[in-house]
Amino acid sequence: MDFGNRDDFRNNLMNVKGICPMCGAVLAFGAAAQLAKAHNIQADVIMCHSCNRVYEINLAAGRMTFINDVTGRFPWIVPKQTQAVESNTKACVGCGRQLRADAKFCPACGRNQDAPAPTPAPPPPPPAPPAPPVPQGVFAPETTVFVPEPTFASGEAPKRKRMSKGLIIGLSSAAAVIVAAAILIPTLSSSPQAKAAESAIEAYMEDVPFSYTEKISRQMREQDSERKEKGFEPGGEYSLSIQIPDLEALPLEELELIAPELDYNNPDNNTFADYLKEFDKAAESAALAYIDANKVTEWRDASIYVTLSENAQGDWQATVDSLKAPVYKSGATREVAEPLQAMARNLFEDSEEMQEILGIASLVIDHRSFMLNELFGAYESFAQEAQIKEITPNGDDSYDIEIAYPDPNAVFSSAKEGVLERWNEPIFNPMYYVFVGGDLPEDDLASAQLISTTAKVTLEISFSNGTTSTCTVDPASIDEMFDQINESALQIEAEINDAINERWLISPQDMPSTGILVGTSSGNKCIVNTGNDVDGYYLRFFSYDGNGNLAQHGAMAAGVFIRGGASYTFYLPSGLYVLEYGTGSNWYGTEYMFGPLGDYTRLDGVIDSEYGYYNEVSLHTSGGNIGSTDVPYSPGG
């Protein structure tokens, strides 16, 4: 038979025969393949006209080898032999495998169960002389087409990820290309483009089980044909149909979910939305681990988008852009990217386990600062140093939170030493020092031993959009802790007050009589009149060099006290003087005068004490010819 004639080759390929492993009918490849397509089966398989069984096969060297019975993939196909399978079995006469009692052929070794035992094979014939070279473009001749005993390639069903291999015709690659181009019989091996796409998809899916609903090469050819019909060039992005696990159909109670790690005391690098994404990944991992362990699942159609490109060396490269699939929720359907994670979220969404995990995350990420500040009240420094040790859900939207915080006795005792060391100013009323968070040195807080307590908080959260409500702290759960901090603070505060009062308290003195308290009365006459609206005046005369800035005066030359409403005459040495005076009701001596609560003023003019002249100054009067300026309190003589 001359295989150089393409029509003859096609006819012989279509007439390659095999025997149905189930019913024993003789099947011609061409007719069986057409029958499968007539039953709306687009995959590369054949269908038996006698029993309606559907098979994956391999055509090589003019032989038909049965790979797998795939009738179950096509639920609309009903086998003609529908009688129930008997429970009894028998052993294969060839390999000993257990078969159904009515099986005519073994799916493992292909042995006819009604045939007599095999006889030893005759010795092999001597090797044939080498065939002469075949010119390019001419098919190598074959002389026989025979019907072999049906055989299966393996007793083990192929993995779902290998379904894309489909049927493989045993031809040289050059011959397959020529036949496909000449007589429109599609090559059943993958093209370089399809192989690149398949490799990219398998790398993208990693350990996720999936299957192709139809050969990649066929899907790509169909899409290229559609592009050509519309006037576009083939290639670019392809939308390829696959099946992925339906995670929403898994038994939730049998899944082992491991919550994503969460640092209770350093949540600043996370947001709740970020943690929710990590939860989705954990839920997906739990679902896929169950599928891997149990080898069972239901499937859902999905689309995976692949972009092809050819590099300078002519090699095809593929990149997966995204995986999308319909996700069902509350009766609605939406197509989403990352469908496995979306399905896993839907699976866990109403579970108590998810509520508790995300509730804890929300407390830590969204409410940690608020919660601790509520716990420690005015003692903000304790809130900043406190650490969350454990969070336990109570099942009613409330959580018990174990908190470690600095030992208040150690902290306040250390703080007392620091307060007394830093205090260096007089006080004019008894001290009532009160601790607040800002008064506690951070080093003392950080080095103090931690002690623990348990607080109860309540949180309501909606996980569908990640929003949370305000966290509420149960005050009764922290009464003991707060009482301990407060009692320790009060005790140390009293010790600090006693120490400061003893060292720094300035007590008021009796109001002195009118007269000179600092310096002597000599020189030129000076009269000072005062109003009776205050209890006393203390006048300080400072030497002045006429530099134009009254604030930059020299040393004090005289200090004069005058009771309110009195006039006093005294004498100043010749020279220029700046007059500053204070008024008040409580007298603390010449150094502290009327204290920080007194009023202090400077005259805007200069007192010129000159021989043969006198100065008269009236204070607290209206209509005078010299203004005045308020000055800050400045104790000292």
Side-chain angles (χ1 to χ4, degrees):
M1 186 176 296
D2 183 6
F3 272 70
N5 186 304
R6 296 177 182 175
D7 291 337
D8 291 342
F9 175 79
R10 179 184 185 281
N11 292 332
N12 281 282
L13 181 66
M14 292 293 132
N15 289 324
V16 172
K17 295 182 174 63
I19 299 177
C20 175
M22 188 56 62
C23 68
V26 177
L27 307 179
F29 167 68
Q34 289 297 327
L35 181 62
K37 292 184 179 180
H39 283 78
N40 199 28
I41 301 175
Q42 298 300 321
D44 292 321
V45 295
I46 66 171
M47 182 174 178
C48 176
H49 61 276
S50 177
C51 65
N52 279 7
R53 292 279 174 178
V54 181
Y55 299 101
E56 285 182 334
I57 66 169
N58 182 12
L59 294 179
R63 297 171 58 93
M64 181 186 296
T65 302
F66 290 77
I67 296 176
N68 198 22
D69 184 340
V70 294
T71 309
R73 296 183 191 170
F74 311 103
W76 61 89
I77 302 299
V78 180
K80 291 182 179 179
Q81 296 178 350
T82 57
Q83 65 270 24
V85 177
E86 298 180 5
S87 59
N88 58 321
T89 61
K90 66 182 179 181
C92 173
V93 298
C95 66
R97 177 173 175 172
Q98 290 297 311
L99 307 174
R100 296 187 333 190
D102 61 346
K104 297 181 181 296
F105 296 90
C106 175
C109 68
R111 178 69 60 191
N112 187 336
Q113 300 303 299
D114 297 330
T119 58
V134 181
Q136 184 176 2
V138 179
F139 290 94
E142 291 201 14
T143 57
T144 58
V145 176
F146 57 91
V147 179
E149 291 185 356
T151 59
F152 280 84
S154 171
E156 179 183 359
K159 296 181 180 178
R160 293 191 66 85
K161 288 178 71 171
R162 298 302 177 192
M163 288 172 59
S164 61
K165 302 304 181 185
L167 299 175
I168 302 175
I169 298 178
L171 303 175
S172 69
S173 60
V177 170
I178 294 173
V179 172
I183 60 175
L184 301 179
I185 297 179
T187 173
L188 301 184
S189 61
S190 295
S191 64
Q193 296 94 322
K195 288 180 179 179
E198 182 176 345
S199 297
I201 292 172
E202 292 188 0
Y204 181 86
M205 298 300 287
E206 294 183 352
D207 297 328
V208 178
F210 72 97
S211 65
Y212 299 106
T213 57
E214 190 177 16
K215 278 182 66 69
I216 285 183
S217 57
R218 174 169 294 181
Q219 295 188 58
M220 295 172 68
R221 285 197 302 270
E222 291 176 352
Q223 293 181 39
D224 282 342
S225 296
E226 293 177 359
R227 290 189 179 101
K228 289 181 179 179
E229 291 177 359
K230 296 178 181 179
F232 297 105
E233 289 295 324
E237 185 182 68
Y238 295 85
S239 173
L240 303 176
S241 298
I242 65 173
Q243 285 191 321
I244 59 176
D246 185 355
L247 303 190
E248 292 181 90
L250 296 178
L252 176 62
E253 65 280 359
E254 298 184 29
L255 271 59
E256 297 182 6
L257 176 63
I258 301 176
E261 292 185 1
L262 180 65
D263 188 343
Y264 290 165
N265 299 297
N266 186 29
D268 296 338
N269 57 346
N270 290 318
T271 65
F272 186 78
D274 292 334
Y275 189 83
L276 199 57
K277 293 177 182 177
E278 293 300 317
F279 176 88
D280 291 346
K281 294 177 183 178
E284 176 190 10
S285 297
L288 294 178
Y290 175 85
I291 292 173
D292 184 63
N294 295 275
K295 309 301 181 187
V296 294
T297 188
E298 296 183 18
W299 301 89
R300 182 173 295 182
D301 291 334
S303 297
I304 192 162
Y305 296 86
V306 179
T307 300
L308 283 172
S309 61
E310 188 177 12
N311 62 22
Q313 291 75 33
D315 298 325
W316 286 95
Q317 298 174 331
T319 303
V320 175
D321 298 325
S322 66
L323 170 69
K324 293 185 179 180
V327 174
Y328 309 101
K329 181 180 179 182
S330 303
T333 303
R334 56 195 176 101
E335 186 177 63
V336 298
E338 301 294 347
L340 293 170
Q341 293 181 16
M343 285 189 282
R345 166 92 73 85
N346 287 351
L347 178 63
F348 280 95
E349 185 132 24
D350 295 328
S351 68
E352 181 177 341
E353 188 174 15
M354 177 176 175
Q355 301 286 323
E356 292 177 350
I357 290 174
L358 295 187
I360 291 174
S362 178
L363 281 174
V364 172
I365 296 173
D366 294 335
H367 298 290
R368 183 181 185 277
S369 296
F370 167 81
M371 178 176 60
L372 293 177
N373 287 332
E374 285 290 297
L375 289 173
F376 291 97
Y379 300 103
E380 297 176 2
S381 297
F382 280 87
Q384 295 171 5
E385 295 296 327
Q387 297 181 9
I388 298 176
K389 308 297 289 186
E390 190 65 47
I391 301 178
T392 304
N394 295 320
D396 58 354
D397 293 331
S398 69
Y399 301 80
D400 288 336
I401 302 181
E402 182 183 353
I403 299 172
Y405 61 97
D407 182 351
N409 290 325
V411 171
F412 288 124
S413 296
S414 179
K416 168 189 171 183
E417 299 175 3
V419 169
L420 295 179
E421 182 179 347
R422 294 189 302 269
W423 198 280
N424 62 355
E425 59 180 313
I427 57 176
F428 298 90
N429 290 294
M431 183 66 186
Y432 296 102
Y433 187 87
V434 177
F435 270 124
V436 292
D439 293 320
L440 302 177
E442 293 183 3
D443 292 343
D444 295 339
L445 285 158
S447 62
Q449 180 181 357
L450 297 178
I451 56 179
S452 296
T453 191
T454 300
K456 184 177 182 180
V457 301
T458 302
L459 176 72
E460 295 181 359
I461 180 172
S462 172
F463 299 123
S464 59
N465 55 15
T467 59
T468 60
S469 64
T470 302
C471 158
T472 304
V473 178
D474 181 2
S477 67
I478 57 172
D479 284 347
E480 182 178 352
M481 176 195 73
F482 194 79
D483 288 347
Q484 181 188 23
I485 296 176
N486 205 37
E487 289 174 5
S488 179
L490 291 174
Q491 177 183 348
I492 300 301
E493 285 167 5
E495 296 175 6
I496 290 176
N497 293 335
D498 291 343
I500 291 178
N501 289 335
E502 181 179 355
R503 170 67 178 83
W504 294 101
L505 179 62
I506 307 299
S507 299
Q509 305 174 11
D510 293 337
M511 196 79 71
S513 301
T514 298
I516 294 180
L517 303 182
V518 176
T520 59
S521 178
S522 63
N524 306 305
K525 183 178 179 180
C526 183
I527 304 171
V528 177
N529 305 309
T530 65
N532 58 5
D533 52 339
V534 295
D535 294 336
Y537 292 77
Y538 183 60
L539 287 69
R540 294 185 296 175
F541 292 87
F542 297 95
S543 61
Y544 179 62
D545 61 3
N547 60 23
N549 187 349
L550 298 180
Q552 295 180 355
H553 51 65
M556 187 173 72
V560 180
F561 187 90
I562 304 176
R563 293 285 183 101
S567 295
Y568 181 63
T569 301
F570 61 100
Y571 295 86
L572 281 173
S574 297
L576 300 178
Y577 297 93
V578 173
L579 172 60
E580 292 184 358
Y581 65 94
T583 61
S585 300
N586 293 318
W587 177 249
Y588 297 99
T590 57
E591 181 177 2
Y592 298 109
M593 298 174 290
F594 296 101
L597 298 181
D599 294 317
Y600 300 91
T601 307
R602 178 193 303 122
L603 290 186
D604 293 338
V606 177
I607 304 295
D608 185 3
S609 179
E610 185 178 354
Y611 178 76
Y613 296 90
Y614 73 91
N615 289 284
E616 183 174 5
V617 180
S618 296
L619 303 176
H620 280 216
T621 60
S622 59
N625 58 357
I626 300 178
S628 63
T629 301
D630 293 337
V631 294
Y633 172 61
S634 177

